[in-house]
């Protein structure tokens, strides 16, 4: 592994996280987060649309998993990481659906854990595509998945101690976006994780975060038809669909 790759993938995030921990206070989970605008019960299911809107993650997860298993030849280096990404996406549907049936901090764990799987696999796919397949498969993927899981475990442990801290999870969720930008700047060649595709993925994810933040406002704007959080699931699913479409485009078999 070249020195600049070690610095980029490991030392920059480590130093940034240490600085974040040193300069900020613990971030507790706001209990009001669980009070979503759309509380309707339909067909005997509480928070029906917030649960049902996760179906798109399941569909894309299944389609993407099958497509990943078909990858061979020069694309076989993407197979494992793509499979883990789409399995993570599919598990988001199950975890988020479970959470929305009874929103609380403990059920939220099962919503966020599969998201970290998808985030870390996505980041590893960028490394495999743009830097080095061996580094991405043997080093970045397992370490990233472990760190993602540990960020959730850390939150659960601190939550049970009465000092809940989401800083590690927030770091795992957002810092890879910055790192991906640096990787794209330093390593220009890509077959799947092209700048145009990444831009659309991040755009739809940003839209999802906006919809999440303005949950009640969108519920009111649509006269109680659909909430911002339900639309957030759709927007985030579109981001994962873009990844699936890109893989299907370069490997149409």
């Amino acid at each position: 592994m070249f020195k600049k790759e070690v610095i980029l993938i490991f030392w920059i995030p480590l130093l940034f996280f240490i600085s974040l921990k040193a300069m900020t206070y613990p971030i507790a989970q706001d209990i009001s987060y669980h009070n979503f605008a759309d509380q309707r019960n339909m067909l005997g299911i509480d928070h029906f649309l917030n649960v049902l809107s996760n179906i798109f993650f399941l569909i894309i997860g299944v389609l993407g998993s099958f497509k990943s298993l078909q990858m061979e030849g020069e694309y076989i280096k993407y197979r494992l990481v793509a499979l883990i990404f789409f399995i993570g996406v599919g598990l988001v549907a199950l975890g988020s659906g479970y959470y929305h049936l009874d929103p609380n901090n403990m059920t939220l764990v099962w919503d966020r854990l599969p998201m970290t799987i998808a985030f870390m696999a996505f980041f590893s796919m960028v490394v495999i595509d743009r830097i080095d397949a061996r580094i991405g498969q043997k080093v970045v993927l397992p370490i990233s998945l472990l760190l993602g899981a540990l960020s959730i475990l850390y939150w659960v442990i601190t939550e049970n101690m009465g000092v809940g801290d989401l800083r590690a999870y927030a770091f795992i969720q957002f810092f890879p976006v910055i790192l991906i930008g640096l990787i794209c700047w330093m390593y220009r060649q890509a077959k799947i994780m092209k700048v145009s595709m990444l831009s659309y993925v991040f755009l739809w994810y940003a839209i999802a975060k906006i919809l999440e933040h303005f949950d009640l406002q969108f519920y009111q704007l649509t006269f109680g038809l659909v909430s911002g959080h339900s639309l957030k699931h759709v927007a985030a699913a579109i981001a994962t669909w873009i990844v699936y479409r890109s893989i299907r485009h370069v490997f149409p078999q």
Side-chain angles (χ1 to χ4, degrees), residues 2 16 34 46 74 76 85 99 103 108 116 134 137 145 194-195 228:
F2 298 106
F16 187 90
H34 307 302
D46 291 332
E74 64 176 313
I76 199 168
F85 171 76
Y99 162 65
L108 185 57
T116 65
R134 182 178 60 85
Q137 294 168 343
L145 291 173
K194 297 181 179 180
V195 170

Side-chain angles (χ1 to χ4, degrees), residues 37-56:
D38 191 349
Q39 302 280 337
R40 290 175 294 177
N41 179 303
M42 300 182 187
L43 304 177
I45 300 175
D46 291 332
H47 316 108
F48 179 76
L49 286 184
N50 281 346
V51 173
L52 182 64
S53 54
N54 285 289
I55 190 67
F56 299 106

Side-chain angles (χ1 to χ4, degrees), residues 72-225:
E72 55 187 20
E74 64 176 313
Y75 297 100
I76 199 168
K77 64 182 180 180
Y78 304 105
R79 184 163 64 185
L80 177 60
V81 69
L83 179 62
I84 292 174
F85 171 76
F86 287 112
I87 288 176
V89 170
L91 290 175
V92 166
L94 302 180
S96 181
Y98 174 69
Y99 162 65
H100 282 290
L101 288 172
D102 181 22
N104 62 74
N105 279 0
M106 290 302 98
T107 56
L108 185 57
V109 171
W110 303 108
D111 183 10
R112 286 177 170 165
L113 184 58
M115 284 197 288
T116 65
I117 294 173
F119 292 149
M120 295 298 94
F122 182 80
F123 172 68
S124 300
M125 203 183 307
V126 173
V127 174
I128 289 171
D129 198 24
R130 287 181 172 267
I131 299 179
D132 184 86
R134 182 178 60 85
I135 293 172
Q137 294 168 343
K138 304 293 186 180
V139 181
V140 177
L141 179 61
I143 291 178
S144 296
L145 291 173
L146 176 62
L147 291 176
L150 288 176
S151 73
I152 300 296
L153 179 62
Y154 175 74
W155 170 55
V156 172
I157 291 173
T158 56
E159 194 70 43
N160 289 334
M161 294 171 60
V163 288
D165 188 1
L166 284 169
R167 285 178 295 179
Y169 173 73
F171 178 82
I172 287 295
Q173 186 175 12
F174 293 109
F175 191 78
V177 176
I178 300 173
L179 211 52
I180 287 172
L182 289 174
I183 291 172
C184 290
W185 176 60
M186 294 176 65
Y187 302 89
R188 304 299 177 91
Q189 298 298 319
K191 289 186 177 181
I192 295 177
M193 312 302 280
K194 297 181 179 180
V195 170
S196 57
M197 184 274 274
L198 292 170
S199 298
Y200 282 118
V201 169
F202 292 144
L203 173 62
W204 278 104
Y205 189 69
I207 291 172
K209 301 305 289 185
I210 292 171
L211 291 166
E212 178 183 42
H213 183 74
F214 294 102
D215 180 35
L216 177 60
Q217 289 82 351
F218 276 95
Y219 191 61
Q220 294 171 335
L221 188 65
T222 60
F223 302 100
L225 180 62

Side-chain angles (χ1 to χ4, degrees), residues 14-26 165 167:
L14 178 60
L15 292 173
F16 187 90
F17 182 65
I18 291 173
S19 301
L20 179 70
K21 290 277 288 183
M23 295 186 298
T24 60
Y25 293 103
D165 188 1
R167 285 178 295 179

